[in-house]
Amino acid sequence: MAHRVSDTRLGVKTRVFHLGDYRRATVGPGQDVPDDYFFVNGEDISVLADCDALNKGFGCASSVLLRQKILRKCREDIYRFFDKEKGQIAIYDAVNPLAAGRRVLAKEFAKHDVQTLFIESACDDVRIIEENVRSVKISSPDYVGWTSNEAVQHYLARITAKIPHFETMNEPELNYIKMINAGERLSVNNCSFGYLSHRIVFYLLNLHIKSRHTYFARAGNPSKGDSYKLDASLAEQGIDYARKMGDTLIKHREEERQALIDRGGADTPLKSLTIWTSPRRRTVETAHYLQEKGYRVRQRSQMSQLNPGVCEKMSERRIRLEYPDEVQKHEADPYHHRYPRAESYHDLAVRLEPIILELEREQNDLLIIAHESVLRVLYGYLMACNATDIPTLSFPRNEIIEIIPASYNNQAKRIQIPDLPDEIIPASPEDIRIPVAPSGVVSPMNGLGSPMSGAQSPMEGNRSPDKGYMTPKEHGSGTHLLVERALRGV
């Protein structure tokens, strides 16, 4: 959830500070922490301010010192992000189970002119808890090399150890959002909400945790050449591509289902598949083959491709000659810059906000057939990409990209579409070619959004835009927003 809240579509400079990453970076790969490390306030940042008072009786001295060291490093990085990097939202992703600790934390950050918003996810539905742990939590780096059952039992034991001591959020003086049973109900305590806080509430209203897969596929090639202005039908090669893409996806989903059964999973029918396209002919016609097989297709007007403006069909040499100043601006910030009468990728992301919210609400498996520029933004959202990397992501036509929910970051899988002619595979030629590298047959970048292995500080990584346009500031004394997470049940 933390990475979803930190998405880049509002142009707000955001970073996730996951305490588990700091623990793994401090302890070292494959190393265990003391058994009492996960006692009730083992991940409570308030120990930084009042360790003796809040940790009395919660673990041995070595565990307390280890937690202090990890928490201190996390807090230093948060302050550096706000003060040195001009960050706007820091998401502190950890368990904060005690009311006293949350109050201390809010006061500590208020001294640095940072507002605090707590998000509590409470769940008493055993089915939801076990399903969430089995499908998401056990993919955590903590459980590499564990069997599924061992990982599930260990994580449930972590939860059980905290439940007797957990104090649900009822502090009237604090800003908080309480989610019950994965969005079944939402409770809000609004002391000093501003623009960004209200946007977060609106976003959380659209979330669910039911597992589903999202697939990305390019539209087939048109009959009259790729062009933003023309709305051409598919060429014969495009129709052939649509058929092969559809058959490949159907076969892959059935193979995945059978593999799950072979691993001991339930023999249940495949989840329904919904297809979204833009209104442009080539995307609609690419979905016809699957529509004829009974799959539901919806046209979404917001999913039209990025408008290249005056640079459409211009060569790189001509653009550099006619718009040297624009080229310089674009090279400095390819995500936010727009050429004359064009859209930037940030403009496109804002246009796609209703699609992103509906994507979160969607409970069926989802196939999105769209232009490469649209796929870049949606992939960047789901995979927590750095905004500056989004313009360089590539989606060749001989691959379907499958996004699979996982803890910390989703996982991406490439599904090869066989027997396609080489000339239709490369990326869209109408994209502005400078300084964005040609896509060729390269797939979306590996590892975007994942913590860097071996890094001294987990804060380093491709998680949020390096440069964010300013949005309306939070009302009140704080100029930054810290989003905290308190966890109960899941």
Side-chain angles (χ1 to χ4, degrees), residues 226-246:
D226 287 333
S227 172
Y228 175 79
K229 296 177 181 178
L230 293 177
D231 191 14
S233 297
L234 289 181
E236 286 299 320
Q237 283 184 330
I239 295 172
D240 180 64
Y241 160 81
R243 178 181 59 80
K244 291 177 179 176
M245 184 272 292

Side-chain angles (χ1 to χ4, degrees), residues 1-4 16 18 20-21 23-24 93 131-144 151 155 158 209 211-213 382-384 403-412 447-451 463 485 487 490:
M1 181 174 70
H3 285 287
R4 298 295 181 85
V16 178
H18 181 67
D21 291 344
R23 168 173 52 81
R24 284 182 286 273
D93 188 11
E131 179 182 333
N132 188 40
V133 171
R134 189 170 294 277
S135 63
V136 178
K137 298 298 184 183
I138 63 174
S139 59
S140 158
D142 287 341
Y143 297 115
V144 174
Y155 194 86
R158 282 192 193 179
I209 62 167
S211 179
R212 58 159 172 74
H213 290 201
L382 289 175
M383 297 301 292
I403 308 295
I404 304 167
S407 59
Y408 304 106
N409 301 286
N410 294 333
Q411 298 174 353
L448 286 176
S450 302
R463 284 180 169 157
R485 183 169 67 93
L487 187 67
V490 294

Side-chain angles (χ1 to χ4, degrees), residues 192-375:
S192 57
F193 275 17
Y195 173 78
L196 294 178
S197 299
H198 282 290
R199 297 301 296 171
I200 291 171
V201 173
F202 179 64
Y203 176 72
L204 292 177
L205 286 169
N206 291 278
L207 284 184
H208 68 82
I209 62 167
K210 293 184 179 179
S211 179
R212 58 159 172 74
H213 290 201
T214 303
Y215 305 92
F216 292 156
R218 291 270 303 283
N221 55 311
S223 57
K224 297 181 181 180
D226 287 333
S227 172
Y228 175 79
K229 296 177 181 178
L230 293 177
D231 191 14
S233 297
L234 289 181
E236 286 299 320
Q237 283 184 330
I239 295 172
D240 180 64
Y241 160 81
R243 178 181 59 80
K244 291 177 179 176
M245 184 272 292
D247 287 340
T248 298
L249 182 59
I250 292 171
K251 179 182 177 183
H252 171 78
R253 297 182 76 231
E254 188 54 49
E255 288 174 347
E256 290 285 290
R257 174 180 172 273
Q258 187 58 51
L260 180 61
I261 295 172
D262 294 343
R263 293 195 300 267
D267 186 359
T268 55
L270 280 170
K271 184 169 287 191
S272 297
L273 177 69
T274 300
I275 302 168
W276 291 357
T277 76
S278 79
R280 294 178 71 86
R281 288 180 184 174
R282 57 178 169 174
T283 62
V284 173
E285 292 177 5
T286 302
H288 275 175
Y289 179 76
L290 289 169
Q291 188 174 28
E292 290 173 352
K293 289 184 172 292
Y295 293 96
R296 183 188 179 202
V297 177
R298 295 182 60 191
Q299 296 180 28
R300 311 307 306 270
S301 61
Q302 300 95 333
M303 283 173 46
S304 294
Q305 68 198 70
L306 181 144
N307 182 351
V310 298
C311 292
E312 184 183 17
K313 296 294 185 180
M314 293 176 64
S315 67
E316 177 179 338
R317 179 175 178 276
R318 182 180 169 190
I319 296 174
R320 288 188 179 276
L321 287 173
E322 295 189 17
Y323 301 102
D325 293 340
E326 296 296 332
V327 169
Q328 187 175 10
K329 294 176 184 176
H330 193 78
E331 289 175 339
D333 189 355
Y335 181 77
H336 291 103
H337 173 262
R338 63 178 70 89
Y339 281 92
R341 297 199 294 278
E343 284 183 300
S344 68
Y345 274 93
H346 175 72
D347 296 332
L348 177 58
V350 172
R351 167 153 59 89
L352 287 171
E353 182 176 356
I355 297 297
I356 290 171
L357 291 173
E358 189 153 354
L359 187 154
E360 292 293 356
R361 288 195 297 269
E362 183 63 56
Q363 299 188 19
N364 293 332
D365 285 352
L366 182 64
L367 168 63
I368 296 177
I369 301 174
H371 182 267
E372 193 173 28
S373 58
V374 173
L375 298 184

Side-chain angles (χ1 to χ4, degrees), residues 94-214:
V95 180
N96 298 282
L98 301 179
R102 294 189 290 263
R103 289 188 173 99
V104 170
L105 185 147
K107 291 178 181 177
E108 173 71 17
F109 280 98
K111 296 175 184 176
H112 295 264
D113 205 22
V114 176
Q115 289 188 345
T116 306
L117 169 64
F118 291 90
I119 300 176
E120 175 183 318
S121 178
C123 185
D124 55 16
D125 187 321
V126 176
R127 179 188 57 81
I128 293 178
I129 295 173
E130 291 187 357
E131 179 182 333
N132 188 40
V133 171
R134 189 170 294 277
S135 63
V136 178
K137 298 298 184 183
I138 63 174
S139 59
S140 158
D142 287 341
Y143 297 115
V144 174
W146 292 51
T147 66
S148 296
N149 288 334
E150 289 174 342
V152 168
Q153 293 306 313
H154 186 269
Y155 194 86
L156 290 175
R158 282 192 193 179
I159 296 175
T160 302
K162 290 184 171 71
I163 287 175
H165 308 282
F166 188 93
E167 298 171 0
T168 189
M169 292 213 66
N170 285 308
E171 300 90 317
E173 74 277 15
L174 297 182
N175 292 313
Y176 65 80
I177 304 168
K178 189 185 300 187
M179 296 179 64
I180 295 95
N181 288 337
E184 183 181 283
R185 286 181 290 136
L186 211 69
S187 175
V188 176
N189 191 59
N190 178 356
C191 295
S192 57
F193 275 17
Y195 173 78
L196 294 178
S197 299
H198 282 290
R199 297 301 296 171
I200 291 171
V201 173
F202 179 64
Y203 176 72
L204 292 177
L205 286 169
N206 291 278
L207 284 184
H208 68 82
I209 62 167
K210 293 184 179 179
S211 179
R212 58 159 172 74
H213 290 201
T214 303

Side-chain angles (χ1 to χ4, degrees), residues 19 34-47 51 53-60 63-64 67 71 92 94-102 157-168 485-489:
L19 205 61
D35 290 339
D36 57 0
Y37 179 88
F38 292 106
F39 281 9
V40 64
N41 70 336
E43 295 186 357
D44 193 331
I45 200 168
S46 62
V47 299
C51 181
L54 294 178
N55 283 281
K56 191 173 294 182
F58 293 101
C60 65
S63 295
V64 171
R67 291 196 294 262
L71 292 165
Y92 173 66
V95 180
N96 298 282
L98 301 179
R102 294 189 290 263
R158 282 192 193 179
I159 296 175
T160 302
K162 290 184 171 71
I163 287 175
H165 308 282
F166 188 93
E167 298 171 0
T168 189
R485 183 169 67 93
L487 187 67
R488 174 161 58 97

Side-chain angles (χ1 to χ4, degrees), residues 429-483:
E430 75 271 25
D431 283 347
I432 298 172
R433 310 307 290 172
I434 57 170
V436 178
S439 296
V441 295
V442 182
S443 298
M445 305 172 80
N446 288 323
L448 286 176
S450 302
M452 297 174 64
S453 58
Q456 292 299 311
S457 171
M459 67 171 284
E460 299 170 8
N462 301 316
R463 284 180 169 157
S464 60
D466 288 333
K467 300 173 182 178
Y469 280 5
M470 296 298 291
T471 58
K473 290 184 178 180
E474 293 289 319
H475 296 295
S477 60
T479 58
H480 308 295
L481 179 66
L482 180 81
V483 178

Side-chain angles (χ1 to χ4, degrees), residues 11-29:
V12 179
K13 188 168 185 180
T14 305
R15 183 167 295 159
V16 178
F17 297 83
H18 181 67
L19 205 61
D21 291 344
Y22 284 84
R23 168 173 52 81
R24 284 182 286 273
T26 301
V27 175

